[in-house]
Amino acid sequence: ASALVPTRVDAPSRARVHRRARANVVVVARASSTQDDDGADLSRRGLLSSAAMAAAMAAAIPLDRTAGPFAVPNAFAANDTATLPLVPRASTPLKFSNEVPSRIIKGCWQLSGGHRGDPSSDRTSGAAAVDDFASFVNAGIDTFDTGPEACGYGPSELIIGEALKSGKISRDDVRIFTKMCAVGREQSNMTNDWVTQKLDLPMRRLGVKKLDLVQMYWNDYGQKGYVDAALYLSDAKAAGKIGAVGLTNFDTKRMAEMVDAGAEISSNQIQFSLLDRRPLLQMTEYCASNGVGLLPYGVVAGGLLSDEFLGKPGEDVTLDTSSKRKYASVLGYAGGYKWIQTLLETLRTIGDKHGGQTISNVAARWVLDGNQVTPAVILGARNAAHVDDHRKMFTFELDTDDKAAIDAVLAKGKKPSADCYTFERGGPW
């Protein structure tokens, strides 16, 4: 998933977005003043202690306790793992390519160094991170989303490369989706040589001869070189150096500019969840008309859309990973902590109806099946503990009543007004 922290920046500061992604920032943002709000704006650098983070969360998104505690089921249906289906692949290849991702993609932002969290469950570095890849492949999750350090992914490409080199996984069995990030002066003077260099580096780090999908990020829309860059990537695809050309965190307007120029755009990786429904405003319709696939990240909002947070008081929430801090900032724009508790209750009820599915599975299925342009979703992983639960996701589907119940809660939340990644570039939510 994208490593960019969705923290609002004013227009003159857009070039600093990537540098801000590396700061230890806790942001629980307030929605537009034209809407009711449960939270308050809060931005702090250097909140290094769990206690400070918890206090920040509690102050910004207090939990309404008047309704009493929420009941969390004692147990979920325990499917025999031997009878669980493997995670399937998408039904068709990405446009302009032969790339068919598994419907769940292992997100490797969690291997960047900022997601260690609870030490008892941390497998985000070293031999443990390398070893875990085999568990995902054995479950059918054979597609990995990564990126270079310039995109905020730390050593994740090197970790995947080590898994390949050591024989933990086989190159023939996996697909590797990486990124090319233009964030500096190259945006004003984009050349084919620069693109070639940015493709050679991940090939060396991964130890591969071809990149399956390269997803371009562009920091400054004021520099129009992204069209040339997309065309250079299309040339690299024609030469057999990459399998498909993708984008990440582009809005619909700029994606259309590249498509109209003849770039062979297969996909756009964007933030999309029950908390962030901006893709539904215009992007899903455009993608359906032009055959572009969406690869959503943030689908379970860094774990906020999970059983762990059902009924949990705000002051007990610890923002101990980069992803939790990132998606806590989204929550204020979705409806606040009180509202998300209602959403979690609804998802829990739906999960119980379908044999004890987890809240995360219900939330992920809503994204996966709610439109016709999402071949797969990206789920970040600090370890392989959820692999069997990912397999369970494909033992049920949301029915009409489920979707209506979810829609009723969403209607009480706050609605976005702008396209994908507009807010992060200084515009409105």
Side-chain angles (χ1 to χ4, degrees):
S2 171
L4 297 179
V5 178
T7 304
R8 179 173 183 147
V9 293
D10 295 330
S13 302
R14 290 172 187 168
R16 298 196 294 272
V17 170
H18 268 273
R19 287 196 288 275
R20 298 182 79 166
R22 301 192 182 195
N24 194 351
V25 181
V26 176
V27 181
V28 180
R30 183 177 57 206
S32 167
S33 60
T34 60
Q35 298 170 303
D36 294 335
D37 182 55
D38 296 316
D41 285 334
L42 183 65
S43 179
R44 299 287 187 269
R45 295 182 182 273
L47 290 182
L48 301 179
S49 71
S50 296
M53 291 178 188
M57 188 76 164
I61 43 178
L63 176 66
D64 180 11
R65 297 180 183 77
T66 59
F70 292 94
V72 180
N74 293 325
F76 302 108
N79 300 59
D80 182 351
T81 57
T83 65
L84 287 174
L86 296 180
V87 173
R89 290 186 181 176
S91 58
T92 58
L94 297 177
K95 188 177 181 180
F96 301 119
S97 82
N98 295 316
E99 303 300 330
V100 185
S102 51
R103 297 212 72 193
I104 292 177
I105 297 172
K106 172 178 163 57
C108 296
W109 182 37
Q110 280 64 22
L111 307 182
S112 65
H115 300 262
R116 293 188 173 91
D118 183 353
S120 66
S121 60
D122 175 30
R123 295 177 63 86
T124 60
S125 61
V130 172
D131 291 345
D132 276 356
F133 278 92
S135 296
F136 285 88
V137 173
N138 291 338
I141 303 171
D142 59 16
T143 308
F144 312 133
D145 179 71
T146 183
E149 291 179 348
C151 298
Y153 283 78
S156 66
E157 288 179 332
L158 291 172
I159 293 173
I160 297 172
E162 182 59 30
L164 291 168
K165 180 180 177 182
S166 65
K168 301 292 183 183
I169 55 177
S170 169
R171 180 66 180 104
D172 292 338
D173 295 336
V174 301
R175 273 145 293 283
I176 303 170
F177 294 175
T178 191
K179 298 180 181 68
M180 183 187 80
C181 293
V183 297
R185 63 182 64 184
E186 71 277 357
Q187 295 173 98
S188 62
N189 184 31
M190 180 53 56
T191 66
N192 188 52
D193 286 344
W194 186 89
V195 170
T196 298
Q197 292 173 7
K198 294 305 176 182
L199 298 181
D200 288 343
L201 179 59
M203 290 171 70
R204 290 196 301 269
R205 287 162 64 93
L206 292 162
V208 300
K209 297 179 180 179
K210 180 179 179 180
L211 301 170
D212 298 319
L213 171 69
V214 175
Q215 303 159 99
M216 177 177 63
Y217 173 77
W218 193 270
N219 196 51
D220 183 5
Y221 283 162
Q223 304 291 337
K224 297 292 186 179
Y226 51 81
V227 175
D228 288 335
L231 292 171
Y232 292 142
L233 286 173
S234 297
D235 290 342
K237 174 182 170 294
K241 197 164 190 174
I242 65 178
V245 179
L247 308 173
T248 182
N249 291 328
F250 271 90
D251 63 13
T252 308
K253 177 182 177 181
R254 276 73 185 189
M255 180 165 53
E257 290 176 12
M258 288 177 274
V259 170
D260 291 346
E264 296 186 353
I265 304 300
S266 295
S267 63
N268 188 19
Q269 182 181 143
I270 42 80
Q271 185 171 288
F272 191 7
S273 73
L274 286 163
L275 302 187
D276 184 355
R277 303 183 300 283
R278 289 178 291 177
L280 297 175
L281 294 178
Q282 56 180 301
M283 186 167 289
T284 53
E285 181 178 358
Y286 176 84
C287 288
S289 297
N290 292 274
V292 179
L294 288 184
L295 300 178
Y297 66 87
V299 173
V300 296
L304 294 177
L305 292 171
S306 73
D307 289 282
E308 177 184 353
F309 291 93
L310 177 62
K312 194 168 193 174
E315 63 267 25
D316 292 342
V317 175
T318 302
L319 304 181
D320 57 353
T321 68
S322 296
S323 54
K324 286 180 183 177
R325 291 188 288 273
K326 174 184 174 84
Y327 297 111
S329 71
V330 174
L331 181 54
Y333 290 89
Y337 201 68
K338 176 181 174 182
W339 171 81
I340 198 177
Q341 287 298 323
T342 302
L343 177 62
L344 293 176
E345 266 202 317
T346 300
L347 301 181
R348 178 66 269 139
T349 299
I350 294 170
D352 290 342
K353 169 184 169 182
H354 292 285
Q357 293 286 341
T358 59
I359 284 176
S360 294
N361 277 359
V362 177
R365 284 234 68 128
W366 183 87
V367 175
L368 194 62
D369 299 337
N371 59 82
Q372 302 300 312
V373 296
T374 303
V377 294
I378 299 167
L379 297 178
R382 296 173 55 249
N383 53 51
H386 299 291
V387 164
D388 286 338
D389 194 48
H390 294 339
R391 294 169 64 184
K392 291 178 185 177
M393 190 191 304
F394 298 92
T395 64
F396 84 108
E397 294 182 356
L398 298 179
D399 61 29
T400 302
D401 291 341
D402 300 332
K403 294 173 183 177
I406 292 172
D407 287 345
V409 179
L410 297 182
K412 297 177 181 178
K414 296 168 181 174
K415 297 177 177 60
S417 63
D419 199 5
C420 299
Y421 225 72
T422 298
F423 172 80
E424 291 84 347
R425 298 178 184 275
W429 178 266

